[in-house]
Amino acid sequence: MRHLLIVLSLWMASALPAWAQVSIGIGMPGVSIGINLPVYPRLVRVPDYPVYYAPGLQANFFFYDGLYWVFEGDNWYSSTWYNGPWSMVEPMYVPVYVLRVPVRYYRSPPVYFRGWRADAPPRWGDHWGNDWQQRRDGWDRRDRSRPPPPAPLPSYQRKYPHERYPQAEQQPQLRDKNYRYQPRDPVVRERFQPPGQNKDRGRDDHPNQGRNK
């Protein structure tokens, strides 16, 4: 079965434009979320937000404050590299600027997004319930001040397509060498580590850390 998936992935890679290729989960270290990109994706800034999205992918793929963020299967994931490995992020700790991205920038929205305003954030409080809404009170109130500038894109990762993609243990060293940006959002700083080193971090922090800047 694994060999069949690999052959299928290679066939899709040759049949589709590079910007559009997303294949179904071939094993990577960490959490597999069913996304396997052959090349670095094109990222475009969401207007008036310090967040980028990938318009050429049929995936809810974002970049914010030095991390990639994906919403897949009703879960949020983050990674320091565009193709993972991925770490699951509990809804209570997803940064507010990621939560505030309008519905229209979700390229593969779940069914329950239907009927929601395209120019407004998803109604996460309706979906995740009153307890989440109370603990993340204010997440959907836009600041009157200007949003922070977006983090620079880690463009050095373009040199690492699928066939040269580094192993998880190689990624921190490459990142430290090529990308000096340090996150500003307190929630992101808790996750700004290689997977496996922060499993329990952030769970005892106040969930509204970084809520408004």
Side-chain angles (χ1 to χ4, degrees):
M1 183 64 181
R2 175 177 172 81
H3 293 294
L4 178 60
L5 286 173
I6 293 174
V7 172
L8 178 60
S9 174
L10 293 174
W11 178 83
M12 291 175 65
S14 63
L16 295 174
W19 56 265
Q21 294 168 11
V22 179
S23 58
I24 302 302
I26 295 175
M28 295 288 288
V31 178
S32 176
I33 61 174
I35 293 179
N36 190 48
L37 307 180
V39 294
Y40 189 84
R42 182 172 70 95
L43 296 170
V44 177
R45 186 176 176 184
V46 177
D48 301 320
Y49 290 81
V51 182
Y52 290 83
Y53 79 110
L57 303 181
Q58 289 303 307
N60 306 313
F61 190 103
F62 305 98
F63 180 82
Y64 166 69
D65 207 30
L67 290 179
Y68 301 92
W69 301 84
V70 169
F71 185 65
E72 172 65 26
D74 214 31
N75 292 309
W76 279 102
Y77 302 88
S78 69
S79 177
T80 57
W81 278 73
Y82 74 91
N83 225 7
W86 301 93
S87 297
M88 186 180 293
V89 183
E90 294 179 4
M92 202 64 69
Y93 301 103
V94 179
V96 292
Y97 283 112
V98 175
L99 295 173
R100 290 174 181 168
V101 170
V103 166
R104 64 163 50 97
Y105 298 102
Y106 285 75
R107 309 306 295 170
S108 182
V111 173
Y112 59 83
F113 276 29
R114 292 177 183 173
W116 291 356
R117 287 178 49 186
D119 62 346
R123 288 153 51 178
W124 297 120
D126 292 351
H127 181 62
W128 284 324
N130 290 332
D131 181 63
W132 182 90
Q133 181 67 42
Q134 291 173 5
R135 296 183 66 184
R136 298 300 303 266
D137 181 45
W139 72 269
D140 53 351
R141 288 198 293 269
R142 291 288 300 272
D143 302 335
R144 293 184 179 181
S145 59
R146 295 180 61 184
L153 293 174
S155 57
Y156 75 94
Q157 294 182 11
R158 292 191 178 97
K159 297 185 296 184
Y160 299 95
H162 185 273
E163 63 273 11
R164 298 187 62 228
Y165 198 76
Q167 296 295 316
E169 59 270 17
Q170 300 171 314
Q171 293 178 2
Q173 183 177 0
L174 289 170
R175 196 177 198 284
D176 291 344
K177 179 180 178 181
N178 294 283
Y179 191 69
R180 301 301 177 88
Y181 176 81
Q182 295 297 317
R184 299 184 179 95
D185 191 308
V187 173
V188 178
R189 286 201 296 268
E190 288 293 329
R191 307 201 67 82
F192 209 69
Q193 302 179 63
Q197 294 186 11
N198 63 341
K199 288 183 179 180
D200 298 321
R201 296 192 66 184
R203 296 177 186 266
D204 296 327
D205 297 331
H206 195 286
N208 284 332
Q209 269 190 313
R211 184 179 67 187
N212 291 313
K213 294 185 180 180

